[in-house]
């Protein structure tokens, strides 16, 4: 992963000082995976066209990050150094495929809408990042909470952006018409690629304005 | 050396467990996944052919309805789907569905055209796979666009095979529909696909009759 | 079988369906490494090379090994393994035969493994039911498209060094907005190839 994001992630906490609330807060907003760590952008841009899609993808991320964090943490003293990353990828991939298979079996329409982006969770820097930065050094329960927290942080942003894009682009939320086509001219650009980039850019602008990153990390 | 053995052993065990777990899940979900995939295609043929009572059916139910009512045949190089309601091999076909595919603006366009048994009147059409601009070219998947086709023909008033997708506002023909405002390119791509299809089909039918 | 002609796939994957501006793949490396032109071009070239070959290998493995054995469900893991192995191989090759290039690319080489564009290319190939020639064309074009994207962005960011960007917008925010405008431009390429 980029050395940039590594320097921002929390280091191993001594077991006795573990505060679950703290882990939760970090994952959800203090070091939010998307807006602060700037990870998992690919998926974020692609699935936020509808709130429904964002919800399902968000859930997928919570599931995969939590479960892989848990398993990696349980195995942290057993995994040999040399194949550490490969083992992490294998574990993550297994959970992603679980989810993908279940989606194809029981929620076929959504599977088609999300397309290859479910599989891309495997290369999503967030999942791998948490496994490397937290789960490999911490006990199972805090790792599980960290996984859930980061997953929730990601899901929140996904849904927030999707709310904007679906509303401005289609005039609906979760398929229910909020802005009636009778008077609202749908702005399709927000559903398409440029819209995704613009919304993401403005979101980051607003968030950096509210919570400025430290001077050393401001962009080049 | 002990380190190496340990690494290999770990890799082997982890690999095995993952593979087994995945194989298990795959087996479990297989019947549902496969039914979904088949039903995907079948759903569109049933919709185009106008087979009644499809609302809210599960994948398996759709497949059953398809089995009962639709016969798959070859017409030259084209695979066609004859809708014959009810039982009895002597029953007359009500409609015939022909799949088509071509290149749209952003990606392939795939669909099904349902014709009357004389291969001339259009009973329905479904565009089930397209990546056109949502709200513009993407409207070819919408009800209103597809409903235009019902009752149209794939031969002109003069009897020549062909199909046109016109600019909205142009006078209507027996073998034309209105395109989509603001989606000229998608409309012309659709016209090319359907015009071609009309000519191909009637060429086959002609040689069939002869 | 996908009916799209080869030339349309090639031009499409570079311009109208640019793997980054239209399919959003490869964003992480794009955001981090797009600030200097030489780095961007080097990385773009490496990604193109890896994408072309891994798409080809993955096609062969998927259609001649996984499908006949009904093992499609482990496709994702196999794809990633092929990509990781190939990048490893390329790394060793470059280190042996061109130490300057190896030194210049530095950490970016192993980073290619987790570049979602590479895995994404293989996934799209399966999803869109491309045949072998279509797959390789798509892999090559996709790589070129990504290289074009990162080179464009690097050029713009170098120029931007002299502009007065609001503090909160510097870095990622600005890149996103610029990417949005470029995405709009690339959308304009749609329909530039007329078909018979």
């Amino acid at each position: 992963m980029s050395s940039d994001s590594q320097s921002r992630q929390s280091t191993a906490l001594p077991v006795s000082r573990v505060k679950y609330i703290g882990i939760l807060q970090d994952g959800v907003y203090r070091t939010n995976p998307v807006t602060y760590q700037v990870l998992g952008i690919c998926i974020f841009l692609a699935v936020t066209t509808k709130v429904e899609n964002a919800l399902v993808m968000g859930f997928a991320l919570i599931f995969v990050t939590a479960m892989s964090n848990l398993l990696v943490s349980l195995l942290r003293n057993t995994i040999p150094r040399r194949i550490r990353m490969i083992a992490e990828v294998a574990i993550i991939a297994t959970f992603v495929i679980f989810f993908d298979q279940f989606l194809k079996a029981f929620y076929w329409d959504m599977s088609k809408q999300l397309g290859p982006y479910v599989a891309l969770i495997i290369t999503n820097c967030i999942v791998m990042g948490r496994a490397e930065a937290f789960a490999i050094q911490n006990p199972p329960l805090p790792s599980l909470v960290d996984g859930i927290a980061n997953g929730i942080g990601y899901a929140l942003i996904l849904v927030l952006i999707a709310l904007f894009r679906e509303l401005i682009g289609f005039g609906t939320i979760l398929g229910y018409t909020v802005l009636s086509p009778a008077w609202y001219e749908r702005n399709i650009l927000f559903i398409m690629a440029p819209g995704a980039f613009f919304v993401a850019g403005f979101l980051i602008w607003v968030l950096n304005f509210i919570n400025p990153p430290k001077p050393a990390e401001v962009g080049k | 050396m002990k380190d190496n053995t340990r690494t290999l052993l770990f890799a082997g065990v982890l690999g095995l467990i993952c593979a087994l777990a995945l194989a298990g899940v795959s087996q479990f979900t297989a019947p549902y996944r496969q039914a979904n995939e088949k039903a995907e295609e079948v759903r569109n043929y049933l919709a185009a052919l106008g087979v009644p009572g499809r609302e809210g059916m599960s994948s398996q139910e759709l497949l059953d309805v398809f089995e009962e009512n639709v016969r798959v045949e070859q017409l030259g190089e084209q695979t066609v789907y004859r809708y014959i309601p009810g039982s009895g091999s002597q029953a007359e076909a009500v409609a015939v569905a022909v799949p088509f595919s071509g290149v749209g603006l952003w990606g392939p366009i795939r669909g099904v055209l349902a014709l009357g048994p004389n291969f001339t009147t259009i009973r329905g059409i479904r565009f089930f796979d397209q990546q056109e601009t949502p709200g513009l070219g993407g409207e070819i998947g919408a009800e209103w666009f597809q409903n235009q086709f019902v009752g149209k023909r794939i031969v002109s008033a003069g009897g020549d095979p062909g199909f046109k997708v016109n600019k909205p506002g142009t006078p209507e023909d027996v073998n034309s529909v209105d395109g989509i405002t603001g989606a000229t390119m998608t409309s012309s791509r659709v016209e090319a696909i359907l015009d071609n299809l009309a000519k191909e089909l009637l060429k086959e039918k002609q040689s069939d009759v002869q | 079988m996908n009916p799209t002609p080869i030339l349309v796939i090639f031009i499409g994957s570079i311009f109208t369906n640019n793997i980054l501006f239209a399919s959003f793949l490869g964003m992480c490396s794009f955001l981090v490494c797009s600030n200097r032109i030489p780095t961007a071009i080097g990385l773009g070239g490496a990604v193109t090379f890896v994408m072309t070959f891994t798409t080809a290998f993955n096609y062969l493995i998927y259609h001649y090994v996984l499908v006949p054995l009904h093992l499609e469900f482990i496709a994702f893991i196999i794809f990633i393994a092929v990509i990781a192995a190939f990048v490893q191989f390329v790394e060793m090759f470059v280190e042996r035969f061109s130490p300057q290039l190896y030194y210049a690319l530095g950490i970016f080489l192993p980073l290619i493994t987790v570049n979602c564009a590479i895995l994404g290319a293989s996934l799209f190939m399966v999803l869109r039911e491309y045949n072998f020639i279509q797959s390789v064309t798509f892999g090559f074009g996709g790589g070129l498209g990504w290289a074009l994207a990162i080179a464009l962005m690097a050029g713009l960011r170098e120029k931007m060094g002299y502009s007065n960007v609001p503090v909160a917008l510097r870095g990622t925010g600005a890149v996103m907005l610029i990417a949005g405008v470029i995405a709009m431009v690339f959308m304009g390429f749609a329909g530039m190839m007329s078909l018979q």
Side-chain angles (χ1 to χ4, degrees), chain A residues 100-108, chain B residues 28-30 32-33 36:
Chain A
D100 186 59
Q101 297 271 293
F102 272 99
L103 209 60
K104 284 198 170 89
F106 301 112
Y107 201 172
W108 176 258
Chain B
F28 174 69
T29 57
Y32 302 97
R33 282 185 294 117
N36 282 335

Side-chain angles (χ1 to χ4, degrees), chain B:
Chain B
M1 281 310 107
K2 202 166 163 205
D3 198 38
N4 269 336
T5 337
R6 207 172 146 253
T7 308
L8 278 171
L9 193 64
F10 182 86
V13 172
L14 184 65
L16 197 64
I17 297 182
C18 287
L20 285 177
L22 286 177
V25 170
S26 189
Q27 275 295 96
F28 174 69
T29 57
Y32 302 97
R33 282 185 294 117
Q34 282 156 7
N36 282 335
E37 264 182 66
K38 291 208 194 89
E40 176 85 14
E41 246 191 270
V42 160
R43 181 178 299 138
N44 294 298
Y45 288 120
L46 292 178
L49 287 168
V51 178
R54 299 170 337 258
E55 301 310 306
M57 271 195 181
S58 77
S59 296
Q60 196 52 53
E61 286 165 347
L62 284 173
L63 288 173
D64 292 334
V65 172
F66 187 77
E67 277 306 304
E68 275 172 37
N69 292 305
V70 181
R71 237 191 4 224
V72 184
E73 292 170 4
Q74 288 293 121
L75 188 68
E77 287 188 6
Q78 273 278 16
T79 315
V80 299
Y81 301 79
R82 277 188 206 278
Y83 170 35
I84 303 172
S87 53
S89 51
Q90 301 307 316
E92 263 303 301
V94 170
V96 184
V98 182
F100 60 83
S101 72
V103 187
L105 188 58
W106 295 96
I109 293 180
R110 289 200 185 97
V112 175
L113 180 67
L115 301 164
N118 59 356
F119 274 81
T120 320
T121 323
I122 299 180
R123 295 192 44 110
I125 194 171
R126 280 287 177 285
F127 292 95
F128 57 76
D129 199 7
Q130 47 92 2
Q131 291 157 30
E132 309 303 284
T133 319
L136 290 172
E139 290 293 289
I140 58 176
E143 291 273 321
W144 73 265
F145 185 73
Q146 288 168 165
N147 285 342
Q148 290 185 94
F149 287 78
V150 181
K152 294 283 178 173
R153 303 162 68 101
I154 55 172
V155 286
S156 69
D160 307 309
F163 199 81
K164 299 270 161 286
V165 177
N166 293 328
K167 265 183 99 82
T170 342
E172 257 184 76
D173 251 328
V174 287
N175 63 338
S176 82
V177 292
D178 278 351
I180 300 170
T181 323
T184 326
M185 289 193 272
T186 302
S187 303
S188 68
R189 298 282 165 103
V190 169
E191 180 182 86
I193 296 173
L194 293 177
D195 193 50
N196 213 34
L197 182 70
K199 297 189 163 99
E200 284 291 318
L201 273 180
L202 292 174
K203 202 167 57 162
E204 282 295 342
K205 209 58 178 88
Q206 294 236 331
S207 60
D208 209 41
V209 166
Q210 273 141 24

